[in-house]
Amino acid sequence: CGTPSGTITVVSQTGMEYSLDGTTYQSSNVFAGLVPNNYTLSVRNVLDATCLAVSGTATKINAVPTAPVVPTALSVVQPTCGIPSGTITVVSQTGMEYSLDGATYQSSNVFAGLVPNNYTLSVRNVLDASCSAVSGTTTKINSVPTAPVVPTALSVVQPTCGTPSGTITVVSQTGMEYSLDGTTYQSSNVFAGLVPNNYTLSVRNVLDATCLAVSGTTTKINAVPTAPVVPTALSVVQPTCGTPSGTITVVSQTGMEYSLDGTTYQSSNVFAGLVPNNYTLSVRNVLDATCLAVSGTATKINAVPTAPVVPTALSVVQPTCGTPSGTITVVSQTGMEYSLDGTTYQSSNVFAGLVPNNYTLSVRNVLDASCSAVSGTTTKINAVPTAPVVPTALSVVQPTCGTPSGTITVVSQTGMEYSLDGTIYQSSNVFAGLVPNNYTLSVRNVLDASCSAVSGTTTKINVVPTAPVVPTALSVVQPTCGTPSGTITVVSQTGMEYSLDGTTYQSSNVFAGLVPNNYTLSVRNVLDASCLAVSGTATKINAVPTAPVVPTALSVVQPTCGIPSGTITVVSQTGMEYSLDGTIYQSSNVFAGLVPNNYTLSVRNVLDASCLAVSGTATKINAVPTAPVVPTALSVVQPTCGIPSGTITVVSQTGMEYSLDGTSYQSSNVFAGLVPNNYTLS
């Protein structure tokens, strides 16, 4: 706008002159004062006009941009409660863009969503940011009118017996007025003298009635609470033996709660489980604790009458062979009488001369027959015990190698228990696990230990025959490359013979010439084949170890400049380990980090070091190759008008090849026909 002509500065080249029309040339590469047009750039060598180059496309000088007029506001829309932002519409001008802050421009002349502020209008040409105009005065967006928040009740005072109306205090908001019916508004946020009802809270801006908020729920003023009448007892149930606590039922009143101590109130008018005491009745309104009435006299719960505890037998004397009747003595309780059948009671707690039976114990208060207690279970008087006959052995099983203890079975008698030592009795007539000894048989009645009988002679359990211990291998010699069979030597036991298959036994504990297999060791008494022991696990003769083949190198990785050591990978063989010096063996067939040397390969079986093979020739790791020194250019020949390419000759190094891009290498250190560029020597 300020300079209505253009300037083209051509990229400068040494020893050249420049033209915009291909005719008129000048030494300066700057062309100023240009009218709008399309210009073709030309450059030629000062010394040789035929050394000429012309741009492939034209360079444009645009038309002079139009300057805008001073911007004004076409319209201003101020914020409202519903739309809390403003809008400014600037008078439109062709080819312009607009800004309210002089920094951020937009193509639209409408600015919406504006926060309250004073705005300066700017307009500039789309093609030339320097072609601009600014308004002399600001355009104001007013503050957003305050909208009330949804009203809530700060407090609600409900009607009471003394004050039969309620009060609602709405949470206060600045610049607002309040209503309970949405019609009548007041400046105070306190509404007093309210009749029972559900009220909807409304609040609006004093200056703008459309700025309105209404509570989503109603606030309730309860009905005026009813005052209770003086409480009286509807009924009183005194404690009994069966129920050792009392119950007071207060005359019910609607909407009330009740108390016996004036502190703890409950909704039920029934108070059960009461201990003996004098109780004062209180009643109050559920909604208003100040609406209260108290009885003028106390209601009494009497003391609990004494009840017997559940009777139990202090002692039971059962019938014996000598005394064929029983006696039950009940635990004594003061002021009580006792019964075994629940019908006939006596003052004595002792019942003698009882025939065998199940008896139920009962006890009752002498003064009050309803105060009674009955035992939950019966007390049994057993049948008169039977005297046993002299015990005899029904059978005797002597110890064996398999079962190194004896068993005596006594002839069974009904209702008896049995003993071999006259001290320890058992219900079973079978005594197993017996050590060698002479045993005296005893039998007695289960119900009466005095009813007993003893055998006149002893019963003998013989000494246990010698049994072998579980056999184990004393030693195992595995097959080798030289001896392809194994030997198992079993731990020796006196008087025994041995087997590896449980069928064929031999006196020797050594088994030689064994083929690979799992063998189970057996040992038995020479004199008694049933005295047998077998090993729990098998003893293994391994497979004959495989002899390795002569080792060869699967691959050889020679040292390089980057990795100055070599790697030899030996052809892998199953179950083998490998060595390069015949001394140190390893499980891996790969030897890395090797210095230049000749290496002899060895391989041997992991299970048998004597199974060995060695390579006939050595494997060589070469010397580390020489690293080149950093390359430098021996000479550089630059392009000329006649030879438009250059040549780089790199300083030569023995045994090397060369590259200018780090990718394509060549044996020659001379690179010719190079286009102008920066080259990295490798």
Side-chain angles (χ1 to χ4, degrees):
C1 284
T3 305
S5 62
T7 299
I8 297 174
T9 301
V10 183
V11 174
S12 177
Q13 301 181 44
T14 303
M16 302 295 167
E17 57 187 0
Y18 310 90
S19 172
L20 294 185
D21 57 7
T23 304
T24 306
Y25 282 85
Q26 61 183 42
S27 59
S28 172
N29 64 324
V30 179
F31 295 87
L34 299 176
V35 299
N37 201 354
N38 289 322
Y39 293 92
T40 301
L41 311 184
S42 298
V43 60
R44 69 184 182 190
N45 195 292
V46 173
L47 302 176
D48 182 0
T50 64
C51 278
L52 177 68
V54 181
S55 62
T57 57
T59 300
K60 184 177 182 181
I61 297 295
N62 297 330
V64 180
T66 304
V69 297
V70 174
T72 57
L74 179 65
S75 65
V76 179
V77 179
Q78 296 295 346
T80 66
C81 284
I83 302 174
S85 62
T87 300
I88 297 174
T89 303
V90 183
V91 173
S92 178
Q93 299 181 48
T94 304
M96 301 298 165
E97 57 187 1
Y98 310 88
S99 171
L100 294 186
D101 57 8
T104 306
Y105 281 84
Q106 61 182 43
S107 59
S108 173
N109 65 325
V110 180
F111 295 87
L114 300 176
V115 298
N117 203 351
N118 289 320
Y119 293 91
T120 300
L121 311 182
S122 297
V123 61
R124 72 182 183 189
N125 192 292
V126 173
L127 301 175
D128 183 1
S130 68
C131 282
S132 65
V134 181
S135 62
T137 59
T138 57
T139 301
K140 184 176 183 180
I141 296 296
N142 298 330
S143 296
V144 181
T146 303
V149 296
V150 175
T152 57
L154 178 64
S155 64
V156 179
V157 179
Q158 297 293 350
T160 64
C161 286
T163 305
S165 62
T167 299
I168 297 174
T169 302
V170 183
V171 174
S172 178
Q173 301 182 46
T174 304
M176 302 297 164
E177 57 187 0
Y178 311 88
S179 172
L180 294 185
D181 57 9
T183 303
T184 306
Y185 281 85
Q186 63 182 42
S187 58
S188 172
N189 63 324
V190 180
F191 296 86
L194 299 175
V195 298
N197 202 354
N198 289 321
Y199 293 91
T200 301
L201 311 183
S202 299
V203 61
R204 72 183 182 189
N205 194 296
V206 173
L207 302 176
D208 182 1
T210 64
C211 281
L212 176 68
V214 182
S215 62
T217 57
T218 58
T219 301
K220 184 176 182 180
I221 296 296
N222 298 330
V224 180
T226 305
V229 298
V230 175
T232 57
L234 179 65
S235 64
V236 179
V237 179
Q238 297 295 345
T240 66
C241 286
T243 307
S245 62
T247 300
I248 297 174
T249 302
V250 183
V251 174
S252 178
Q253 301 180 48
T254 304
M256 301 297 162
E257 57 187 2
Y258 310 88
S259 172
L260 294 185
D261 57 9
T263 303
T264 307
Y265 281 84
Q266 62 182 43
S267 58
S268 172
N269 64 325
V270 179
F271 295 87
L274 300 175
V275 298
N277 203 352
N278 290 321
Y279 294 92
T280 300
L281 311 182
S282 297
V283 61
R284 71 181 183 190
N285 193 292
V286 173
L287 301 175
D288 184 3
T290 65
C291 285
L292 177 69
V294 183
S295 62
T297 58
T299 301
K300 184 176 182 179
I301 296 295
N302 298 329
V304 182
T306 303
V309 296
V310 175
T312 57
L314 178 64
S315 65
V316 179
V317 179
Q318 297 292 351
T320 65
C321 288
T323 305
S325 64
T327 299
I328 297 174
T329 301
V330 183
V331 173
S332 178
Q333 301 181 47
T334 303
M336 302 296 165
E337 57 187 0
Y338 311 89
S339 172
L340 293 185
D341 57 9
T343 302
T344 306
Y345 281 83
Q346 62 183 43
S347 59
S348 172
N349 63 326
V350 179
F351 296 86
L354 299 176
V355 298
N357 203 352
N358 289 322
Y359 294 91
T360 301
L361 312 183
S362 298
V363 60
R364 70 184 183 189
N365 195 295
V366 172
L367 301 176
D368 182 1
S370 68
C371 279
S372 63
V374 181
S375 61
T377 58
T378 59
T379 301
K380 184 176 183 180
I381 295 297
N382 297 329
V384 179
T386 305
V389 298
V390 174
T392 57
L394 178 65
S395 65
V396 179
V397 178
Q398 296 296 344
T400 66
C401 284
T403 307
S405 62
T407 300
I408 297 174
T409 303
V410 183
V411 173
S412 178
Q413 300 181 48
T414 304
M416 302 297 163
E417 57 186 2
Y418 310 89
S419 172
L420 294 185
D421 57 9
T423 303
I424 301 171
Y425 281 83
Q426 63 182 42
S427 58
S428 172
N429 64 324
V430 179
F431 295 86
L434 299 177
V435 298
N437 204 352
N438 290 320
Y439 294 92
T440 299
L441 312 182
S442 297
V443 61
R444 72 182 183 190
N445 194 293
V446 172
L447 302 176
D448 183 3
S450 66
C451 286
S452 64
V454 181
S455 62
T457 58
T458 59
T459 301
K460 184 177 182 180
I461 296 297
N462 298 330
V463 175
V464 181
T466 302
V469 297
V470 175
T472 57
L474 178 64
S475 66
V476 179
V477 179
Q478 298 293 348
T480 65
C481 285
T483 305
S485 63
T487 299
I488 297 175
T489 302
V490 183
V491 173
S492 178
Q493 301 180 46
T494 303
M496 302 296 164
E497 58 187 359
Y498 311 88
S499 172
L500 294 185
D501 58 9
T503 302
T504 307
Y505 281 83
Q506 63 183 41
S507 57
S508 171
N509 64 326
V510 179
F511 295 85
L514 299 176
V515 297
N517 203 352
N518 289 323
Y519 293 92
T520 300
L521 311 183
S522 299
V523 61
R524 69 183 183 191
N525 195 296
V526 173
L527 301 176
D528 181 0
S530 67
C531 280
L532 178 68
V534 182
S535 61
T537 57
T539 300
K540 184 176 183 179
I541 295 297
N542 297 330
V544 179
T546 305
V549 297
V550 174
T552 57
L554 178 64
S555 65
V556 179
V557 178
Q558 297 296 346
T560 65
C561 285
I563 302 174
S565 62
T567 299
I568 297 174
T569 302
V570 183
V571 173
S572 178
Q573 300 182 46
T574 303
M576 302 298 165
E577 57 187 1
Y578 310 87
S579 172
L580 293 184
D581 58 8
T583 303
I584 300 171
Y585 281 84
Q586 62 182 43
S587 57
S588 171
N589 63 325
V590 179
F591 295 87
L594 300 176
V595 300
N597 203 352
N598 289 321
Y599 294 92
T600 300
L601 312 183
S602 297
V603 62
R604 71 181 183 191
N605 193 292
V606 173
L607 302 175
D608 183 1
S610 68
C611 284
L612 176 69
V614 181
S615 63
T617 58
T619 300
K620 184 177 182 180
I621 295 296
N622 297 331
V624 180
T626 303
V629 297
V630 175
T632 57
L634 179 64
S635 65
V636 178
V637 179
Q638 298 293 346
T640 65
C641 284
I643 303 174
S645 62
T647 299
I648 296 173
T649 302
V650 183
V651 173
S652 177
Q653 299 181 47
T654 303
M656 303 297 165
E657 56 187 0
Y658 310 87
S659 172
L660 294 186
D661 57 9
T663 303
S664 303
Y665 281 85
Q666 62 184 40
S667 57
S668 171
N669 64 327
V670 179
F671 294 87
L674 300 176
V675 298
N677 201 352
N678 288 322
Y679 293 93
T680 300
L681 310 183
S682 299

